[in-house]
Each structure stands twice: as C-alpha cells, then as structure tokens.
Amino acid sequence: MATKIIYDFSTNQTVTRDLTSQEQSELEALKPNAEKQLEYLRLERNRLLFETDWWASSDLTMTDEQKKYRQDLRDITKTFSSLSDKDFKFPTKPS
C-alpha cells in the first residue's frame, strides 16, 4: 500500500501514514492506463522520427546506422508498450 506524507506546519512535524482505500483508488485513477502509456510512447517515437526525416530527403543517402536507428524507432512498439517499461530506452541517435 502507498503512504502519504503530511507536514503539520503548526507543530513542525512530519507524519507518514498509509493511504485510505479511497485515496488509493483516486491515486490509481490518475495513473495512465495501458492505452495512454502506449500513446505517450508513440508520440515520443514520432517526435524522434520527425527530427530525422530530413535524412530521407531524395538528395541525401542515409548511412546504415541512420537507417537502423529509424527502423529501431519504428519497431520499438513491438517490444515495449510504455516509456516506463523495464529496460526501456530509445535507440541511440547516430552522429
């Protein structure tokens, strides 16, 4: 169970207590559901792809590292469903 830390300014003391079931329910309701977490992941992935769209211009040739980076970004939702998944990290952008 989660705890709540309360600071009482009148006594200058900190009290820690368990959340009530209602407070726990309210806290859970604030957490993004799986669909929202996947949406956040896709939004950030799309932003990173957008930053490198210019690599794919017709007058440029992408390096193999650049192609791999963009493909890894497109494939990231096959492995992860949230930015907070264990071991999650975006691929490293080549220089």
Side-chain angles (χ1 to χ4, degrees), residues 56-87:
S57 296
S58 60
D59 59 338
L60 296 174
T61 302
M62 279 195 283
T63 65
D64 288 340
E65 292 89 10
Q66 291 171 327
K67 290 176 187 177
K68 182 177 180 343
Y69 172 74
R70 289 178 54 84
Q71 188 61 53
D72 289 348
L73 284 173
R74 286 190 292 274
D75 293 343
I76 204 156
T77 55
K78 293 178 181 176
T79 307
F80 298 103
S81 60
S82 168
L83 294 168
S84 59
D85 282 352
K86 185 178 189 283
D87 298 329

Side-chain angles (χ1 to χ4, degrees), residues 6-21:
I6 304 166
Y7 183 77
D8 186 340
F9 287 95
S10 63
T11 62
N12 292 325
Q13 292 185 352
T14 302
V15 177
T16 303
R17 68 167 177 80
D18 289 338
L19 293 177
T20 65
S21 58

Side-chain angles (χ1 to χ4, degrees), residues 2 4 19 28 31 45 47 54 56 73-74 79 86:
K4 182 176 190 174
L19 293 177
E28 289 298 319
K31 291 182 180 177
R45 185 259 333 253
R47 185 188 68 76
W54 65 273
L73 284 173
R74 286 190 292 274
T79 307
K86 185 178 189 283

Side-chain angles (χ1 to χ4, degrees), residues 10-54:
S10 63
T11 62
N12 292 325
Q13 292 185 352
T14 302
V15 177
T16 303
R17 68 167 177 80
D18 289 338
L19 293 177
T20 65
S21 58
Q22 180 180 348
E23 290 170 330
Q24 187 71 34
S25 295
E26 291 170 357
L27 181 63
E28 289 298 319
L30 293 175
K31 291 182 180 177
N33 60 23
E35 187 178 310
K36 272 289 188 205
Q37 290 182 18
L38 183 58
E39 181 183 340
Y40 296 151
L41 172 59
R42 285 181 174 143
L43 284 170
E44 183 60 17
R45 185 259 333 253
N46 291 346
R47 185 188 68 76
L48 292 171
L49 280 169
F50 179 75
E51 285 181 355
T52 60
D53 278 349
W54 65 273

